[in-house]
Amino acid sequence: MKVAVIGAGSTYTPELVSGLSREQGRMGIDELALHDVDSERLSAVGGLAGRMLAAQGFEGRLEQTDDLDAAVDGASFVLVQIRVGGQQARLSDETIPLACGCIGQETTGAGGLAEALRTVPVVLSIAEHVRERAAPEAWIVDFTNPVGIVMRALLDAGHRAVGLCNVAIGFQRSIAQLLGVEPERVFVDQVGLNHLTWVREVQLDGADVLPELLLEHGDELADQVELPRRVLEELQAIPSYYLRYFYDHDRVLAEQQDGVPRAARVAEIERQLLEQYRDPALIEKPALLEQRGGAFYSEAAVGLIASLVAGAGETHVVDVRNNGVLVGLAADDVVEVPAQVSPGHVEPLPQRPLAPELLGLVQHVAAYERLAVQAAVTGNASIARKALLAHPLIGQWDTADELLERLLATEVQA
């Protein structure tokens, strides 16, 4: 079986391919293809990946290429983890909205729309190559942000795809640590849209322990999502970190306007990581990678693929069509929910209705995502402006108009 990684110049890639190698016996992987348009990054990342695989005794083939067709040819799984425009584009996504008095974040609000506009067409182009060259019934596993919008575009175009985010596995691991138990004993019922989710139930060995968890570890959980403990107690749910942009908007905006953009810090971390990756003596992931963000993404991706190949109905939190799972959303909306995964099948688990205070925000952002996909696919500026107008973090005509003008001007200059 062949697995292709598109955007393999990512500093996450060595850990990812190392995880795939460890599952070689279960999944039968005999070929890994690493693709990136940046040959310098790919050389550094691929070099470390190769050394890690050699140390593990991987007996398959590792290919590095800038030829997309060669990468996806015959692949059963294609992992897409690209960042169109690199960290420089992310820096624009985080700083341009600030000039208009709006939150600057790479996946949420105006920054998320900018990322979607330049990313969706590229991912759809990659997906067409997969359709033409990959193995029959190949899966696209998308980790490319903004995941919900990218997934909607892929599914609208008829591709066999599933989206993945690391927020749920991050909660599972941190909650397991708080409870002092193995992660496998903890199940988090995380629901909503990508980067707009709440954990409404935490099961330990099948029994819901969320009320006790909030009572005994409310301060730690609140610190993790950077929101007051009272928010978690009022909602009787754990909001994802990204809810702080909505629930604590003014404070976050003030911090962003006075602080150093996250993109600048990540760019420096990546520079240092790539320098370390070039060391021929390095055969394991460096500690610095923990500061990069995206914790446990590799484990989540490997676990999902393993279940799609040889699973027995394991539960993974993924991004899929709604199709009635969350009442109050359209069937074709893309939701992030737990699903049972087995060979060739991803079946979302039934969900009780969202409480009004959650549903209202989800419906609002789902409407924005629908418009964002339309704008990205058509290139229509009017639809893009409507998307900004529909987003709850923007919602004013003059602001939306100015934002779009600034965002499009930056893309033209790039």
Side-chain angles (χ1 to χ4, degrees), residues 73-133:
D73 190 35
S76 296
F77 289 89
V78 178
L79 282 69
V80 184
Q81 53 178 34
I82 65 173
R83 181 182 293 281
V84 180
Q87 293 299 328
Q88 187 58 45
R90 175 177 176 172
L91 183 61
S92 295
D93 296 344
E94 293 181 358
T95 54
I96 288 177
L98 296 178
C100 299
C102 294
I103 291 285
Q105 212 280 328
E106 61 162 333
T107 64
T108 302
L113 179 65
E115 185 173 40
L117 293 178
R118 64 174 175 273
T119 301
V120 165
V122 177
V123 173
L124 289 179
S125 176
I126 291 169
E128 286 303 317
H129 286 261
V130 174
R131 199 199 304 267
E132 295 169 5
R133 303 297 294 264

Side-chain angles (χ1 to χ4, degrees), residues 268-302:
E268 176 56 23
I269 292 170
E270 287 210 327
R271 185 193 66 76
Q272 295 178 39
L273 281 171
L274 291 171
E275 185 176 326
Q276 293 183 33
Y277 285 9
R278 294 185 181 97
D279 179 358
L282 185 67
I283 60 171
E284 57 185 23
K285 69 174 184 178
L288 180 62
L289 186 60
E290 302 300 326
Q291 299 180 33
R292 171 64 182 82
F296 308 114
Y297 151 61
S298 300
E299 293 180 47
V302 171

Side-chain angles (χ1 to χ4, degrees), residues 19 53 81 88 149 187 255:
L53 292 178
Q81 53 178 34
Q88 187 58 45
I149 295 172
F187 165 74
E255 289 176 355

Side-chain angles (χ1 to χ4, degrees), residues 76-233:
S76 296
F77 289 89
V78 178
L79 282 69
V80 184
Q81 53 178 34
I82 65 173
R83 181 182 293 281
V84 180
Q87 293 299 328
Q88 187 58 45
R90 175 177 176 172
L91 183 61
S92 295
D93 296 344
E94 293 181 358
T95 54
I96 288 177
L98 296 178
C100 299
C102 294
I103 291 285
Q105 212 280 328
E106 61 162 333
T107 64
T108 302
L113 179 65
E115 185 173 40
L117 293 178
R118 64 174 175 273
T119 301
V120 165
V122 177
V123 173
L124 289 179
S125 176
I126 291 169
E128 286 303 317
H129 286 261
V130 174
R131 199 199 304 267
E132 295 169 5
R133 303 297 294 264
E137 301 299 309
W139 280 95
I140 295 174
V141 179
D142 179 67
F143 191 64
T144 297
N145 281 320
V147 171
I149 295 172
V150 170
M151 272 301 302
R152 179 188 276 272
L154 284 168
L155 295 174
D156 285 352
H159 296 289
R160 195 182 199 207
V162 60
L164 185 64
C165 181
N166 68 314
V167 170
I169 192 173
F171 271 134
Q172 182 209 32
R173 299 307 170 86
S174 64
I175 289 172
Q177 187 174 26
L178 289 174
L179 296 175
V181 301
E182 293 298 314
E184 294 73 20
R185 296 175 58 190
V186 176
F187 165 74
V188 295
D189 186 22
Q190 176 176 295
V191 299
L193 308 178
N194 178 245
H195 288 187
L196 196 82
T197 52
W198 297 261
V199 174
R200 299 189 298 172
E201 188 173 310
V202 175
Q203 293 182 10
L204 175 61
D205 299 332
D208 183 21
V209 296
L210 180 60
E212 295 89 342
L213 187 67
L214 291 175
L215 182 64
E216 297 174 11
H217 298 284
D219 289 337
E220 296 101 313
L221 292 166
D223 288 344
Q224 184 177 336
V225 299
E226 297 189 32
L227 286 167
R229 175 173 178 163
R230 185 179 174 190
V231 175
L232 284 64
E233 293 173 338

Side-chain angles (χ1 to χ4, degrees), residues 210-361:
L210 180 60
E212 295 89 342
L213 187 67
L214 291 175
L215 182 64
E216 297 174 11
H217 298 284
D219 289 337
E220 296 101 313
L221 292 166
D223 288 344
Q224 184 177 336
V225 299
E226 297 189 32
L227 286 167
R229 175 173 178 163
R230 185 179 174 190
V231 175
L232 284 64
E233 293 173 338
E234 288 275 344
L235 296 176
Q236 279 299 290
I238 308 171
S240 82
Y241 169 86
Y242 293 89
L243 266 299
R244 65 194 291 265
Y245 299 113
F246 299 85
Y247 292 162
D248 205 5
H249 175 279
D250 291 354
R251 184 175 67 84
V252 172
L253 179 60
E255 289 176 355
Q256 289 185 338
Q257 290 173 330
D258 292 338
V260 177
R262 170 69 179 163
R265 298 195 296 272
V266 168
E268 176 56 23
I269 292 170
E270 287 210 327
R271 185 193 66 76
Q272 295 178 39
L273 281 171
L274 291 171
E275 185 176 326
Q276 293 183 33
Y277 285 9
R278 294 185 181 97
D279 179 358
L282 185 67
I283 60 171
E284 57 185 23
K285 69 174 184 178
L288 180 62
L289 186 60
E290 302 300 326
Q291 299 180 33
R292 171 64 182 82
F296 308 114
Y297 151 61
S298 300
E299 293 180 47
V302 171
L304 176 60
I305 295 173
S307 292
L308 285 169
V309 173
E314 296 88 355
T315 301
H316 300 268
V317 176
V318 291
D319 292 86
V320 293
R321 287 286 198 208
N322 180 43
N323 288 331
V325 174
L326 292 181
V327 175
L329 296 181
D332 64 342
D333 284 334
V334 169
V335 295
E336 189 166 291
V337 294
Q340 286 189 331
V341 182
S342 55
H345 297 281
V346 177
E347 189 65 35
L349 297 176
Q351 293 290 332
R352 67 182 187 275
L354 292 170
E357 62 272 17
L358 310 186
L359 179 61
L361 184 54

Side-chain angles (χ1 to χ4, degrees), residues 58-85:
F58 178 69
E59 298 177 353
R61 178 188 177 201
L62 176 66
E63 176 188 12
Q64 300 177 44
T65 180
D66 61 0
D67 184 336
L68 181 59
D69 284 341
V72 304
D73 190 35
S76 296
F77 289 89
V78 178
L79 282 69
V80 184
Q81 53 178 34
I82 65 173
R83 181 182 293 281
V84 180

